[in-house]
Amino acid sequence: MADLNTHLQTTLPTAQAELALKRASARVRSYTRQQITFVASDTIDVDGGDRVLRVPQRPLVVDDSNPLTVIELGDFGGVDYTLTEGVDFERLGDELTRGYPWWGTTRLMGWPWNRVRGVWAPRVRLICSHGYQETPDDIMDVVLALATTNVSNLLGLRSESIDDYSVTYATETVGDARLNKDQKDELRGYRKGAFSVTLS
């Protein structure tokens, strides 16, 4: 809210500023398909069945305070298997590689034995932390621009006049603020392809 007030060079009522930022943030999250802000120990069920598993929310944060837990879910009442990084899978950025087939003898092989080696189980549960502790500047810029639009023309008027004073609003400020092409281009690097996520 302080950034929005500074940007507008005024002090908005708290409720109005919160709502404008909430609506603008929702637009960015919807377009990028990302939470953006930091979430600790989130539980996400994803589809496996391939060698590489891409974590749906990024960036993935893994450190001493934010461990990564990966569990292959057993099929039809089978046993769930908790995997160990560096033993059962490798991690590079937001991609987890399950292992390699038997001919890759110097690489990870995977477990259990009755599954296709080097391929994730059909369903995998991730307990992980993701997002940004501090919002990147380019995302902040887009959110502030959208929030400014949301508070500059609250009634969604195309034009208004009082006595001899008249103002006409730009088309992009009429109604609810939407991302324009330039803003979408700025956010494209954060955008993730469509995926199915089950939160526990």
Side-chain angles (χ1 to χ4, degrees), residues 16-31:
Q16 184 182 5
E18 283 180 346
L19 181 59
L21 289 169
K22 182 178 178 180
R23 292 170 67 193
S25 298
R27 292 279 181 229
V28 171
R29 288 191 179 101
S30 175
Y31 178 75

Side-chain angles (χ1 to χ4, degrees), residues 3 25 28-29 35-38 59 131-144 187 190:
D3 290 329
S25 298
V28 171
R29 288 191 179 101
Q35 181 63 33
I36 306 292
T37 51
F38 180 75
Y132 297 92
Q133 296 277 7
E134 188 173 324
T135 305
D137 291 341
D138 47 355
I139 293 179
M140 178 70 79
D141 187 48
V142 172
V143 169
L144 288 176
L187 296 173
Y190 299 97

Side-chain angles (χ1 to χ4, degrees), residues 39-53:
V39 178
S41 301
D42 196 10
T43 300
I44 307 170
D45 289 353
V46 295
D47 291 328
D50 204 348
R51 178 173 295 167
V52 177
L53 182 71

Side-chain angles (χ1 to χ4, degrees), residues 89-182:
F89 69 93
E90 294 176 334
R91 173 174 53 92
L92 180 61
D94 64 337
E95 293 185 350
L96 310 178
T97 304
R98 177 62 174 97
Y100 288 78
W102 62 268
W103 60 82
T105 54
T106 61
R107 305 306 295 269
L108 304 177
M109 299 279 283
W111 178 261
W113 62 270
N114 60 345
R115 257 188 214 137
V116 178
R117 289 183 182 271
V119 174
W120 290 99
R123 297 291 289 166
V124 180
R125 176 165 294 152
L126 305 171
I127 303 172
C128 59
S129 301
H130 54 80
Y132 297 92
Q133 296 277 7
E134 188 173 324
T135 305
D137 291 341
D138 47 355
I139 293 179
M140 178 70 79
D141 187 48
V142 172
V143 169
L144 288 176
L146 292 173
T148 298
T149 301
N150 282 333
V151 298
S152 65
N153 186 3
L154 296 175
L155 299 177
L157 301 174
R158 183 67 183 93
S159 64
E160 59 181 322
S161 59
I162 301 170
D163 296 331
D164 58 348
Y165 172 78
S166 175
V167 62
T168 301
Y169 295 101
T171 343
E172 58 269 19
T173 67
V174 176
D176 192 15
R178 304 283 179 170
L179 290 166
N180 62 36
K181 183 186 179 310
D182 291 338

